[in-house]
Amino acid sequence: MRIRTSGVVLTAIALTLVASGCGTGGEDPKTSASATPASATGKLVIWGDDKRAAALKPFAEKFGQENGVTVEVQAISKDQQTTFVTASQQGSGPDVMIGAHDWIGNLVQNGAIDPVQLTAEQKAGLAPNALKAVTFNGQVFGVPYATESLALIRNTKLAPEAPATMEDLVKSGKKLKADKKATEILCLQVGDKGDAYHSYPLFTSGGGYLFGTNAAGEYDKNDLGVGKPESIAAFEKIRKLGEKGEGALKRSITGENSIALFTSGKCAYLVSGPWAVTDAQKAKIAYDITPVPGFAGAKPAQPFLGVQSFYVAAKAKNKALAQEFVTNYVTTPELAVALYHAEPRPPVLIAAFDQVKGTDPDLAKWVEAGKNAAPLPAIPEMGSVWDPFGKAEAAVIGGADPKTALTAAAKTISGQIK
């Protein structure tokens, strides 16, 4: 399951390595996709999480055989980003790293990754929103392979119709509770420290924002929306859904129990991502997937878009081979489909998506639910937002004053950014 945590720890170890990490925009023959990897010797080391590593191993072995090198795929079970940055700075990191696109700002700041050299044809074969997500300071820093965003997963036995608004959802959920058919109105993970990722669709529907954008459409660290009147107004709406209001949002619903409550039939509505579907299927829950509903008369709920990507390590011992692997091998349908089967999330490679969409009716629903999703900010400053924003959210859901909570959060965030 997806639990967002603060990335602040990485900024503490940031070094003055940006110039060496972000490149100049010119094509270095040592890192170009057109470089001949056959001249490389030794081994290629790839790091990923458990599921990705397992799916990748047979393809990595094939790539190694074709290029006359040894390829090692190593699973990093937790703290992947921190482990990668630390290892990179110690000279013991991998050649290729698999991870989320919102790592990019911190990875560039720490001199941990190089730009990737995709051709115009390769770029055209990728979903535009995913390609945009891995673009930072005008350069492409990762090869994206899958997307994820939140949606409303509904138990169709308990709730046959999708609610048009959050108010409709609450009304339906309260009736199910009154009829003893459910014990919770809505399963949306909050916990004692809040969860900015899962609350973001409601926050945006209420008019709130985290960072504004500049003329180029990139997030602007100098335009912090937390603490602004429109964000406070959004938290007023969230408070009304909380423990002192409708009781739809509760701190007792966490990342550990939200999906389990849904699969055990204790709530008809779950706000979660593709990672929740496997559990629903195992529990034989009849479900449907629709966009997270917004507040009546307000803006549409806008979830975050997350993009899983392959990165070339700036201190890779085999850069030419790493570039070859991520640009000319990761972009093949065969590998993209294998990664999809490891954990079904919409493939970024258009050819791969077209190949699997006929076998998975959920894919089109996830794409529809996330069609207006906003890429998670990849700027380093986003690491300062998660914890203070989440704690403010939890406090407000518990009944605290939105203006007081968000003003304090904005002060903390601004202080860390400066």
Side-chain angles (χ1 to χ4, degrees):
M1 95 186 36
R2 183 68 155 216
I3 301 174
R4 285 278 159 190
T5 54
S6 172
V8 157
V9 66
L10 291 178
T11 60
I13 58 173
L15 303 176
T16 54
L17 297 172
V18 180
S20 64
C22 64
T24 61
E27 187 169 298
D28 183 346
K30 294 180 181 178
T31 60
S32 170
S34 61
T36 303
S39 60
T41 57
K43 64 183 178 182
L44 183 71
V45 179
I46 303 171
W47 283 6
D49 65 16
D50 297 302
K51 288 186 177 180
R52 249 61 57 178
L56 196 60
K57 281 184 178 179
F59 293 90
E61 290 172 2
K62 179 182 176 184
F63 179 84
Q65 292 170 359
E66 292 173 351
N67 290 277
V69 295
T70 300
V71 181
E72 290 185 4
V73 181
Q74 300 174 3
I76 307 298
S77 298
K78 60 181 181 178
D79 299 327
Q80 291 100 340
Q81 184 181 180
T82 306
T83 302
F84 173 53
V85 172
T86 302
S88 175
Q89 294 177 348
Q90 294 174 346
S92 58
D95 300 288
V96 174
M97 183 72 200
I98 307 172
H101 86 272
D102 55 304
W103 297 3
I104 290 176
N106 268 320
L107 296 184
V108 172
Q109 182 171 319
N110 282 279
I113 57 174
D114 278 347
V116 295
Q117 311 297 330
L118 291 170
T119 66
E121 183 179 359
Q122 287 170 332
K123 291 178 181 178
L126 302 173
N129 58 352
L131 187 61
K132 179 181 179 181
V134 296
T135 301
F136 182 75
N137 289 340
Q139 292 182 296
V140 177
F141 276 93
V143 177
Y145 71 88
T147 63
E148 60 188 32
S149 60
L150 296 176
L152 181 69
I153 305 174
R154 186 178 85 258
N155 182 324
T156 54
K157 183 178 179 180
L158 295 176
E161 302 296 327
T165 65
M166 185 54 60
E167 287 81 358
D168 290 339
L169 184 154
V170 170
K171 182 179 178 180
S172 170
K174 290 177 78 171
K175 187 176 188 306
L176 288 169
K177 280 190 67 177
D179 293 342
K180 309 293 185 184
K181 294 180 179 179
T183 59
E184 303 292 347
I185 297 171
L186 169 66
C187 286
L188 185 154
Q189 65 186 64
V190 178
D192 292 335
K193 295 183 179 179
D195 190 308
Y197 181 76
H198 282 79
S199 67
Y200 190 72
L202 299 182
F203 180 63
T204 55
S205 178
Y209 75 101
L210 296 182
F211 291 101
T213 54
N214 57 27
E218 297 182 342
Y219 287 107
D220 182 0
K221 68 175 184 179
N222 297 313
D223 183 5
L224 179 66
V226 181
K228 297 287 180 65
E230 50 265 60
S231 294
I232 293 171
F235 262 46
E236 291 281 3
K237 290 181 177 291
I238 290 173
R239 184 181 185 276
K240 290 178 182 177
L241 294 178
E243 295 164 14
K244 299 295 178 66
E246 299 285 5
L249 298 177
K250 299 165 66 173
R251 289 169 294 179
S252 60
I253 298 179
T254 70
E256 285 70 40
N257 66 18
S258 61
I259 296 174
L261 286 168
F262 178 77
T263 57
S264 62
K266 293 180 179 178
C267 59
Y269 302 103
L270 169 69
V271 172
S272 192
W275 51 89
V277 168
T278 301
D279 287 348
Q281 292 171 341
K282 287 180 180 177
K284 300 188 184 306
I285 296 289
Y287 66 89
D288 198 8
I289 300 163
T290 52
V292 177
F295 296 105
K299 296 180 178 180
Q302 183 181 45
F304 276 128
L305 176 73
V307 180
Q308 295 295 314
S309 307
F310 283 76
Y311 301 112
V312 172
K315 295 187 177 181
K317 296 178 175 63
N318 223 328
K319 281 192 182 183
L321 199 63
Q323 284 281 349
E324 173 70 14
F325 182 81
V326 302
T327 58
N328 293 330
Y329 208 64
V330 172
T331 53
T332 61
E334 185 181 14
L335 178 53
V337 169
L339 291 170
Y340 158 79
H341 285 302
E343 189 172 41
R345 304 184 188 195
V348 169
L349 188 68
I350 296 170
F353 181 88
D354 290 341
Q355 187 173 326
V356 299
K357 67 181 180 181
T359 64
D360 185 353
D362 288 346
L363 271 183
K365 295 175 182 179
W366 283 115
V367 172
E368 177 65 21
K371 68 179 182 181
N372 74 328
L376 263 164
I379 56 177
E381 291 76 16
M382 186 62 192
S384 300
V385 172
W386 296 114
D387 185 64
F389 185 96
K391 288 177 178 176
E393 174 212 347
V396 167
I397 286 172
D401 175 63
K403 184 175 182 179
T404 301
L406 267 190
T407 300
K411 183 177 180 181
T412 300
I413 295 166
S414 296
Q416 291 178 355
I417 289 176
K418 291 177 182 178

